[in-house]
Amino acid sequence: MNSWANVGMDLHLELPRGIGVKAALLQGLRDAIDSGGLKPGTRLPPSRSLAVDLGVSRNTVADCYTELAHAGWLITRQGSGTVVASRADAKAGDARGITQSPSKPPEQEPPRSALSFIPGSPDVSSFPRAQWISSARRSLTSAPNDAFSATDPRGRIELRTALSSYLGRTRGVRTDPEHIVVCASSGHGLTLIARVLQETVAVDAYGLHLHRDLLAAEGIRTVPILVDESGTCTEQLASTQAKVALLTPTHQFPLGGPLIPSRRRTALDWASNSGGIVIEDDYDGEFRYDRKPVGALQAIAPQHVAYMGTVSKTLSPAIRIGWMVLPDRLIEPVLALKGPYERWVSATDQLTLADFIDSGRFDAHIRKMRTTYRRRRNQLVDTLEHRLPDVRITGISAGLHAVIQVPRGTEGAILSAADGLGLDLVGISTFRHPDAPPAGIDGIVVGYSTPTPSRYSDALERLCTAMESVL
């Protein structure tokens, strides 16, 4: 039996014709490197493997590798194979007539990591890699064969079962696996629900602009309703033409307050009386510090609330897993939109997350990060109280961001000063609905979960310096 197909790795080369085999191979390799087809650091196949693929002798390939290494095009290391050198070194090698290969690749200056307080991301350096790998190994080892074929558009039953238990225990959600539909993100879930309903959506006058953009892209009109420190002014819902309301009742984004009980009841009464739907975006409900837990709105009226959550704040936005807990009337239409099988979320990631939840690792990670983020929040508050005692900080009892209220007319100047210091910031005006009146405040929305631990103090220093230069 021929075994050539199992030797080494593939390499596509265009060899010029009309010249000898060795000359053609030398020219083909140089052209591939010079054009960028073979990038610096790319490992080349062993000489035996490439010789079999090209139908030439192994010595021919080995001689070409050696000659190109002497000229600086390639780098050879004992026991590590042959890799492509940088183009600069290759050209310099040709010019200088280098006769020996460099002992190691040229050092490249690592890109400077930006400092950012943009909200929306956890501390990605704290991702629980070892625990996630353990859950992946265990879940894939025990997975049934059908886990590796087309998956139910609802999502893997293992994950939906784990989520049903977890959401009921931690968020008070009333559900079962049949009412849960897995999606790729809250934005994905929102798009699916909006496509089904095709109704005007009431949104917070200050809210996540990315969600408004997604709705606009679907041709969905949004109408703003006021928000304050008690959350969304849900009494305004009845005066709108909306049949859908998008709310963040646990922790209003970006102002940060929870929706008070009377306004929660008003929202549910509106949905019940009008036949409307409340879309509840529970984006960071796990993180609370100085207040009692606020349960999900869905728990009070499951048939009038579509509940959404993801792991983008608790674990990482790189894990594209979210979920919807849907009223009966939305399940089949949403599944029809998703199609006959799951096309969005990896089944193996779903199995891993199911094990991560069932094993208790998810709870342990959240408790750990809750402590970490509380410490960061306290450091932010203490630093600002010491350096800028006249500014007011709000929305800090929960979540992963805070709002620093600043004097009117200073928001833009602070953002410009921060940019000059290499710090990414966002102002509260970014989140205002274009049809909403200004709230009468200027502010900076600080995502204190975003920087890595080693850069957090530096980011705080730059924030204070930028603000002190303006205030």
Side-chain angles (χ1 to χ4, degrees):
M1 182 178 68
N2 291 330
S3 61
W4 64 269
N6 298 320
V7 180
M9 59 191 76
D10 290 339
L11 174 63
H12 174 75
L13 288 175
E14 296 288 347
L15 301 184
R17 297 182 180 183
I19 58 177
V21 173
K22 180 178 177 182
L25 181 54
L26 284 169
Q27 188 61 48
L29 286 167
R30 277 194 293 260
D31 288 346
I33 296 170
D34 201 39
S35 69
L38 288 175
K39 295 178 172 54
T42 300
R43 185 180 300 277
L44 298 185
S47 58
R48 180 168 69 94
S49 171
L50 186 57
V52 170
D53 286 351
L54 296 178
V56 301
S57 74
R58 181 180 180 182
N59 286 341
T60 298
V61 177
D63 288 347
C64 288
Y65 279 3
T66 299
E67 188 168 328
L68 290 173
H70 286 168
W73 289 84
L74 302 178
I75 297 170
T76 58
R77 301 192 198 98
Q78 188 67 32
S80 300
T82 302
V83 298
V84 177
S86 72
R87 291 174 66 187
D89 280 358
K91 295 180 184 298
D94 277 350
R96 298 191 306 267
I98 295 176
T99 58
Q100 61 181 9
S101 62
S103 60
K104 63 179 182 178
E107 295 291 336
Q108 295 184 356
E109 183 178 348
R112 182 185 178 190
S113 57
L115 285 175
S116 174
F117 270 136
I118 302 295
S121 175
D123 170 17
V124 295
S125 70
S126 295
F127 182 80
R129 304 181 191 209
Q131 294 86 346
W132 185 259
I133 291 171
S134 177
S135 282
R137 182 182 298 111
R138 185 161 64 178
S139 63
L140 296 182
T141 299
S142 61
N145 290 335
D146 68 3
F148 304 99
S149 62
T151 299
D152 187 332
R154 287 178 173 82
R156 289 297 307 179
I157 184 60
E158 296 89 345
L159 178 57
R160 290 186 287 119
T161 300
L163 285 171
S164 176
S165 175
Y166 172 79
L167 294 174
R169 172 171 57 84
T170 64
R171 306 296 301 123
V173 172
R174 292 165 55 190
T175 191
D176 55 55
E178 297 307 306
H179 284 81
I180 296 176
V181 177
V182 174
C183 53
S185 64
S186 60
H188 181 214
L190 176 62
T191 299
L192 290 170
I193 295 171
R195 286 178 181 174
V196 167
L197 295 174
Q198 288 296 313
E199 296 281 358
T200 298
V201 179
V203 298
D204 290 341
Y206 283 77
L208 187 59
H209 56 302
L210 300 178
H211 282 174
R212 292 198 304 267
D213 292 344
L214 285 173
L215 293 171
E218 295 298 324
I220 303 296
R221 176 172 171 257
T222 59
V223 294
I225 52 179
L226 297 178
V227 293
D228 58 28
E229 290 184 359
S230 296
T232 308
C233 298
T234 54
E235 61 274 10
Q236 295 184 357
L237 286 170
S239 63
T240 70
Q241 299 299 313
K243 287 297 184 69
V244 183
L246 173 60
L247 305 177
T248 50
T250 300
H251 187 228
Q252 198 281 331
F253 185 89
L255 298 183
L259 191 62
I260 62 174
S262 62
R263 291 183 177 179
R264 291 163 69 92
R265 173 50 60 189
T266 298
L268 296 178
D269 287 345
W270 165 82
S272 176
N273 295 334
S274 67
I277 288 285
V278 173
I279 302 175
E280 178 177 12
D281 182 10
D282 192 14
Y283 66 99
D284 66 358
E286 291 87 353
F287 297 112
R288 61 187 184 277
Y289 313 116
D290 302 327
R291 73 179 192 201
K292 294 180 180 179
V294 178
L297 197 63
Q298 186 270 357
I300 305 172
Q303 293 305 317
H304 295 291
V305 177
Y307 175 92
M308 301 191 310
T310 77
V311 296
S312 64
K313 305 296 187 295
T314 51
L315 284 173
S316 165
I319 300 177
R320 307 304 296 162
I321 298 181
W323 48 85
M324 299 172 281
V325 180
L326 298 175
D328 291 333
R329 58 177 152 152
L330 293 184
I331 294 175
E332 291 306 321
V334 165
L335 291 176
L337 276 179
K338 285 196 75 181
Y341 57 89
E342 176 59 71
R343 296 176 294 164
W344 306 97
V345 185
S346 162
T348 55
D349 282 350
Q350 292 184 55
L351 291 170
T352 301
L353 179 58
D355 182 87
F356 199 73
I357 294 171
D358 287 338
S359 66
R361 294 186 177 103
F362 193 39
D363 283 271
H365 177 70
I366 288 172
R367 287 195 299 271
K368 173 187 173 183
M369 298 314 298
R370 190 181 292 148
T371 300
T372 296
Y373 295 143
R374 180 199 294 267
R375 188 180 303 118
R376 289 189 180 204
R377 182 212 59 174
N378 291 346
Q379 186 177 351
L380 170 67
V381 172
D382 292 345
T383 301
L384 289 175
E385 286 181 348
H386 174 68
R387 299 274 294 270
L388 294 142
D390 293 332
V391 301
R392 184 180 177 218
I393 311 170
T394 62
I396 59 174
S397 62
L400 303 177
H401 72 273
V403 176
I404 305 173
Q405 295 187 13
V406 296
R408 292 294 303 276
T410 62
E411 180 182 308
I414 292 172
L415 297 180
S416 295
D419 183 63
L421 293 171
L423 176 65
D424 292 334
L425 285 180
V426 64
I428 200 167
S429 59
T430 299
F431 304 104
R432 182 172 68 87
H433 191 288
D435 297 332
I441 60 170
D442 277 14
I444 307 299
V445 184
V446 177
Y448 52 79
S449 62
T450 304
T452 60
S454 62
R455 307 301 301 278
Y456 186 64
S457 293
D458 189 8
L460 271 182
E461 175 61 30
R462 297 189 194 190
L463 171 66
C464 290
T465 300
M467 294 182 67
E468 287 170 338
S469 71
V470 175
L471 303 182

